Amino acid sequence: MSSNIGVMGHPIGHTKSPIFQQAGLNELGIDETFEAWDVLPEDLEDKVATFREKGFIAACVTLPHKQAVIPMVDELTEAAESVGAVNWIFNRDGKLIGHNTDCNGFLRALKEEAGFDPKGADAVVFGAGGAARAIVYALKTAGVNRLTIANRTVEKAQALANDFSEGRFKPTATGMSRDELSNYVPYANLLVNTTSLGMAGGPAELATPATADMISADAVGYDAVYAPPMTKFLREVEEAGGEPAGGMTMLVFQGIEGFEMATGKTAPVDTMFTALERALKSG
Ligand code: ATR
């Protein structure tokens, strides 16, 4: 029999979620096993239907299902609707609620790791893919003052800016050339990389969206790339005198947000981080 809480994706072998989620459940004395379900796209609908069963609590949703599950749930939260992706499904008395915790996960990571509240900040987000979308929405809800979206393909940055423009909140879209970035990056106190630049094993592992000479010493630099832990971008932020913060925290805090909504309890954050760190060290 399947458990009442877990993560589903395909492939799923690499996920560390069960390790830190289980540590959290154990610490709170919740008698459940956090499982990992390898679900093929063609089996997704059947799997989601089982989430309505009595006793089922919640499922974390990862690649490639975050969009495909949208029509399969009964209700979307505002975050899921705005981001256009569901990364948690909660069973509320047989009704499935699709939610997105990447936004609050990111804000919490910024606060816990860098003590930074984006309210009133001038921010630059590099990239315009799925991760950028969640972060732009998060920064909008957090009340940033000014937001620039910089992307290699400027049309995508513009489309993202248009999607979230509302009232006084009007993100600026720009390309990623040095010239273009020099109009925004030096004045930003928050820089967030969501591009794949710097990713281990990728074609641009030694690349960075911005260099130290352009980055303000007052800036917090957050990298959604979490492998390696210290990317080229974060080293540039550090060299500029700014504060580097890394992507693993966003990943864990999206999970912690989901854990808290699933259990209705405050997560034992330190225990969950310790469990993950131990697992990463032992490979
Ligand atoms: P995710 O869902 O993780 O955000 P994605 O949707 O594939 O991933 O988005 C990847 C982002 O990295 C995009 O913003 C992409 O830029 P384009 O929209 O121009 O493709 C950016 N990216 C990938 N490789 C890049 C490179 N070599 N230089 C600059 N940006 C790059």
Side-chain angles (χ1 to χ4, degrees):
M1 204 197 81
S2 207
S3 160
N4 294 311
I5 188 162
V7 55
M8 68 166 178
H10 179 75
I12 198 72
H14 62 281
T15 181
K16 300 279 185 234
S17 288
I19 292 168
F20 69 86
Q21 296 286 3
Q22 192 62 52
L25 292 171
N26 294 349
E27 173 87 15
L28 297 188
I30 298 171
D31 188 18
E32 294 286 350
T33 304
F34 194 100
E35 293 190 335
W37 302 306
D38 196 336
V39 178
L40 292 167
E42 57 266 37
D43 299 330
L44 188 60
E45 194 142 19
D46 287 347
K47 183 69 182 174
V48 173
T50 69
F51 298 164
R52 288 195 174 80
E53 283 167 15
K54 202 164 167 8
F56 188 83
I57 303 169
C60 180
V61 183
T62 184
L63 299 177
H65 303 316
K66 290 182 178 195
Q67 265 116 28
V69 295
I70 290 176
M72 299 174 191
V73 299
D74 304 310
E75 209 175 292
L76 291 178
T77 62
E78 195 192 319
E81 187 137 8
S82 302
V83 177
V86 162
N87 74 337
W88 277 85
I89 298 174
F90 304 104
N91 177 15
R92 302 275 188 250
D93 301 320
K95 191 174 182 189
L96 297 184
I97 316 292
H99 182 47
N100 191 300
T101 64
D102 283 334
C103 321
N104 279 343
F106 169 69
L107 295 175
R108 218 160 141 178
L110 263 187
K111 183 159 175 261
E112 302 281 330
E113 210 188 341
F116 190 82
D117 177 357
K119 191 170 169 57
D122 286 353
V124 175
V125 172
F126 302 103
R133 209 176 165 82
I135 285 169
V136 166
Y137 173 71
L139 293 175
K140 178 180 176 178
T141 59
V144 284
N145 176 43
R146 218 171 355 196
L147 178 63
T148 303
I149 304 169
N151 197 44
R152 177 176 62 180
T153 315
V154 71
E155 292 78 13
K156 281 201 217 163
Q158 190 60 61
L160 189 54
N162 292 347
D163 281 355
F164 287 101
S165 285
E166 189 183 351
R168 271 195 65 242
F169 184 76
K170 283 198 172 49
T172 305
T174 178
M176 296 254 292
S177 73
R178 245 188 101 75
D179 261 11
E180 288 166 298
L181 293 182
S182 68
N183 293 319
Y184 307 100
V185 172
Y187 313 103
N189 49 353
L190 176 65
L191 302 169
V192 186
N193 176 42
T194 75
T195 73
S196 43
L197 295 177
M199 200 180 279
E205 186 168 344
L206 299 176
T208 174
T211 46
D213 56 314
M214 211 187 263
I215 298 172
S216 159
D218 298 328
V220 167
Y222 193 93
D223 205 332
V225 171
Y226 57 87
M230 198 62 186
T231 57
K232 170 85 170 141
F233 169 59
L234 292 183
R235 274 189 270 121
E236 297 290 330
V237 171
E238 198 168 61
E239 195 184 318
E243 166 108 19
M248 199 47 111
T249 45
M250 177 174 171
L251 216 66
V252 182
F253 276 114
Q254 73 71 23
I256 285 172
E257 282 277 318
F259 178 99
E260 293 187 337
M261 291 181 74
T263 62
K265 298 194 158 68
T266 303
V269 173
D270 290 347
T271 302
M272 293 168 84
F273 267 97
T274 306
L276 178 70
E277 275 152 23
R278 204 173 295 146
L280 289 175
K281 260 187 215 136
S282 64

